[in-house]
Amino acid sequence: MTSNQSDVTSEQAETTTVHPLQEFADSVAAAVGGEAEITFDTVKVHVPAERWVEALTTARDDLGFGYFSFLSAIEWTNDPAVGYPLTDEVEERIEVICTVGDVFEGRRVTFSTDLPVDSPTIASLVDVYAGANWHEREAHEMFGIHFEGHPNLIHLYLPEGFTGNPLRKSFPLLSREVKPWPGDVDVEAMPTEGGDAAADEPSTENPEA
Amino acid sequence: MSIDADTIRHLSEVSVSVELQTEDMTLNIGPQHPSTHGVLRLVARVDGERAFDVQPVIGYMHRGYEKLAEVRTYPQITTIVNRIDWVAGYANEIPFITAAEKIMELEVPPRAQYIRLILTEMARICSHLVFMASYPLELGAASPLFFALRERERVLDLLEGVTGGRFHPNFNRIGGVKPAYGSGSMTRKWVQDLPAGFYRDTRAAMDRVLEVCDELDNLVAGNEIILARTKGVGVIPVDVAASYGLSGPNLRASGVPFDLRKMEHYLPYDELDWNVVTGTNGDCYDRWWCRLQEIRESAKMIQQAIDQVPEGPIQAKVPKVIKVPKGETYVRAENPKGEMGYYLVTDGGNGPYRVKIRSASFSNLSILPWALEGALIPDIIAIMGSLDFVLGDVDR
Amino acid sequence: MELLTDLMSNFWIALVLKLLVVALIIPLIGMVIGFAEMKLSAKMQARVGPYFAGGRWGWAQLIADGVKFFQKEDLIPRDADRPVFKVAPIVVMAGTVALFVVIPWGPGVIFRDLDIGIFYALAISSLTTVGVLMAGWASGNKYSLIGGLRAAGQLIAYELPLVFSAVAVVIMAGTMSMQGIVEAQVSAGYPFVLLQLVGFVVFMIAALAELSRIPFDLPIAESELVMGYLTEYSGFRFLFFFLAEFANMFSMSAIAVTLFLGGWHLPGIPADVLEFAGPLILIGKSFLLVFAMIWFRWTFPRVRQDQLQSLAWKWLIPISLANVILTGVFKVVL
Amino acid sequence: MSSRTVPGSGLWKGMWVLLYTMVRTIFKPKKYLATVNYPKVKETPVARARGVIALDQEACTVCMLCARNCPDWCIYIEGHKEEIPPDKPGGRIKVRNKLDRFDIDYALCMYCGICVEVCPFDALFWSPEYEYSEAQMGDMMHDMDKLQDWLATVPDQPELEK
């Protein structure tokens, strides 16, 4: 019924020095008191953990970001038990990310904050965005983050009594450990007469090996 | 036994309560129930037919794709993201592939982009037709199911004819769509471009889709019983919808033109002439109506797009082994169910460091406790069905 | 023919014969209608429908289904009220069988032409709902209970318009005997539906509700209550409900035909032919109504409980009451 | 959106759709029937359909690429080196890899097609055959001879859209 020809806000990245979203990112960062960063067209504003709820309340009330997209976390660790390791040394931490936006122009900002790896605790966003309820429950069971003030912080996906935080990098992926990797058997050198395939190394390495 | 004056006065003042004291009953709907689309479970406190405090219990289908993605290479991940929202498997690949391409700073050839657009819209039509099929069934009408699924089958055949998979196409590659199989000597391996007759069949199929939209209009839209069951039921205002993260047709039915196809510019949607469908009331009927109109819009979009498919390569130059450089990005796209996005953290390896999958149905479903407060049991089914969720998309 | 009359004169032989007819006819009619529902619904949805059992058209599908039901384990839930759970299908079936007693198949072909035929028919048709309520209560399942109570609420609401629309016909015919009503239409020269169109429509809507067919299948409501009062039933007990549903469809249609569409009579057919053709005509007319019920079943969605009740109390009962009053006034005036 | 019309007209419109569908399905089943009598009549899958993976044993060089790229780890390969005598006297002795075992566990396979795609020697193909369900999950493991049998069902290359 309604045709929406609204303006483009996240334009394609151009090879200029100033990213088209830079101004927007700076204004958001100034409003909430954080540091803005643009990574591949994603505006990311880093705020201190103690100002988390305050920053998102500002985003909702003053900046008009009423749309709650998602909340999750990333565990930065130098020694993952599962998956691909990082190339550079990082500060070990749990980074909580939360993307909010507005529904009229499609602007969006990812807020992030750092928590310690041991017993990470942060205030709950449920009173700011009702939709944060399930996302925080998910982050709680997957990363072991405690959300203070959450009304119902119980397991969402996992059964009652499940111990461990599956998305932590220290949590083993059992299905990949109980079975030997079939690719490990009879390791032949790559055939040399296979066209351009020969130039490459075997494309998959067993991450656990 | 004597009765003193106080007791008599007290008894005369007692007003007889006509309100019958009834006990609440806890009704467990699901995980095995005809209308929970799989394995959703609702625990409802019901007083007669009216339900209070409905709590969805999810996780029966949690497969841990975010963890699985951490131990897989990029080409392998597209096979598992197919399975998130399986009624529109193709559409799930787009944001993931776009995210990886964004970090690799790849330019996708226009022909590949058009093929992606056509197939995505086909996936959208399939997904919405499944809703067209299942929603009247939840209200008790069985026949629209077969009308909708008949046309969906036609569209799925087209999707399968191009990609080889009905539900899980795995057709996108970083840098384009699937290139030729292998590089060996035999000729039986095929170049995975559009097969002959695709344009003709697609035109015919889109005509049939538009026709079945009219049939569904007649079967469902005018039906007085359907109107009585859905109009004014499950009204979700815009601000509540947005704060719960509702997206897609569920949010547009409330009257917001929130369509990421217009907002995020990830495929050449701007080169086509189409409208964002919005409803007015945000009730169950509007959500149904929005999806029906979106099928029509998508069919028209495909009809335009197949006339405009440019010539050229379908795959950008990429190394044989895909390695994505260090970076972080959130890319979202308009899935049939709503906003589907991937927060991709990469670090130069064969696989990602972390993938956060933002699926539409998860957020759409999280509004259930709010929307079902005080609803009648039949309305629980009507409201739940109108949100059009897929459990694979909820549980991931 | 004489042999038959001789046999029928012996009470016991007649009883056994009648029982046999009942035992054969009711499952047969149930199966024919069940099969018609499967096949017609398939065609309405551009499907093939059953095609495997019995070779051509899958004609033996329902026989195969019946055999399957008999092979199944007889399950009774632990929390069920066992005696009531077992009796409920029998009560439903008994109501169905008893309804066939007063259906006039042809001139003189009726099991028992009661003076209060229509009264008996409407009274006995509620018996099935009692069986449904029993089934819902005894299953010890919350869905069954809700289904059973919905059935009871539906019965109370829709018995009234059903009776009122029949009363108007009784006023026109001047008798409550089922044969008498048909003969009144024969002598009047037209089926009562011409004057009682409103009554007919109300009767059919109420009959659909009594039968809990879509759009009034709230007691079963598979998308809400799983299978309603049938949730815990399986095997031959479920078969009883299943056959009773289809046989009831037929008997309700037959009563509607008798009341409104001239029963076994078709104008222009001589009386001696009617002796034999009567049952066929009745079955033919009833199957038309059954077809309409199947047609509704696959087109319409289900109404909600509050809408169901408001339809009955706010519309059907006032309309049918007004119809009774109008009919009475015209009967007296004319 | 629909405006207020005669009450019941919406009900009738729906009934009309079913009526004409029924009539045309009965009288013109060939054109309007959407389903088929499955075991008697079969629909032909499209040529690209990913039904079952066929193996050309001769072409396989035991390079393990498919097994390594499989996301589900459902391909099991074993092989050994074998010396081939020279074609003409005085020629070089060739060494080639001989396939001993090539099993695909279709109970695990998710039909993604990565193995077919990465195979550099055209030893793996997709066939649209789909009727190979088994009563036991263990029987879904197809060995190399069974996979070789599927090769006969691999269709020719279809034409491409101009």
Side-chain angles (χ1 to χ4, degrees), chain D residues 79-96:
Chain D
H80 68 273
K81 284 192 180 359
E82 196 180 61
E83 291 189 347
I84 299 174
D87 302 337
K88 50 184 185 287
R92 220 155 41 94
I93 293 177
K94 287 181 188 160
V95 180
R96 56 168 285 202

Side-chain angles (χ1 to χ4, degrees), chain C residues 40 61 66 70 76 83 102 108 117 150 159 161 183 205 207 218 234 267 285-286 292 302 304 312 323 326 334:
Chain C
L40 285 175
Q61 181 64 43
F70 273 108
I76 300 179
V102 291
R150 280 180 176 188
E159 196 72 352
E183 273 150 18
I205 293 175
L218 287 97
S234 63
K285 286 178 177 177
S286 305
R302 187 180 308 117
R304 216 164 49 202
N323 189 39
L326 269 180
L334 297 177

Side-chain angles (χ1 to χ4, degrees), chain B residues 191-204:
Chain B
V191 178
Q192 297 279 297
D193 206 328
L194 299 173
F198 176 75
Y199 294 154
R200 188 197 61 222
D201 293 348
T202 307
R203 270 192 202 96

Side-chain angles (χ1 to χ4, degrees), chain C residues 194-262:
Chain C
L194 295 183
L195 292 183
Q196 289 289 337
L197 187 63
V198 176
F200 178 64
V201 171
V202 171
F203 187 90
M204 284 313 290
I205 293 175
L208 277 176
E210 287 278 285
L211 293 166
S212 23
R213 296 280 297 178
I214 274 180
F216 307 110
D217 73 331
L218 287 97
I220 294 178
E222 8 6 325
S223 61
E224 297 155 22
L225 301 182
V226 187
M227 205 56 189
Y229 61 90
L230 291 173
T231 307
E232 297 291 352
Y233 280 92
S234 63
F236 69 95
R237 292 185 218 281
F238 180 76
L239 185 67
F240 262 46
F241 281 111
F242 188 72
L243 281 180
E245 184 196 337
F246 289 121
N248 263 334
M249 270 170 78
F250 177 80
S251 51
M252 268 304 198
S253 306
I255 290 169
V257 166
T258 308
L259 291 181
F260 295 101
L261 300 178

Side-chain angles (χ1 to χ4, degrees), chain B residues 225, chain C residues 157-158 161 201-202 205-206 208-209 215-216 303-320, chain D residues 11:
Chain B
I225 301 174
Chain C
Y158 281 85
V201 171
V202 171
I205 293 175
L208 277 176
F216 307 110
V303 298
R304 216 164 49 202
Q305 186 70 18
D306 55 330
Q307 292 160 353
L308 175 100
Q309 299 290 353
S310 68
L311 177 68
W313 294 102
K314 289 187 188 159
W315 296 96
L316 294 186
I317 292 175
I319 287 173
S320 54
Chain D
L11 298 180

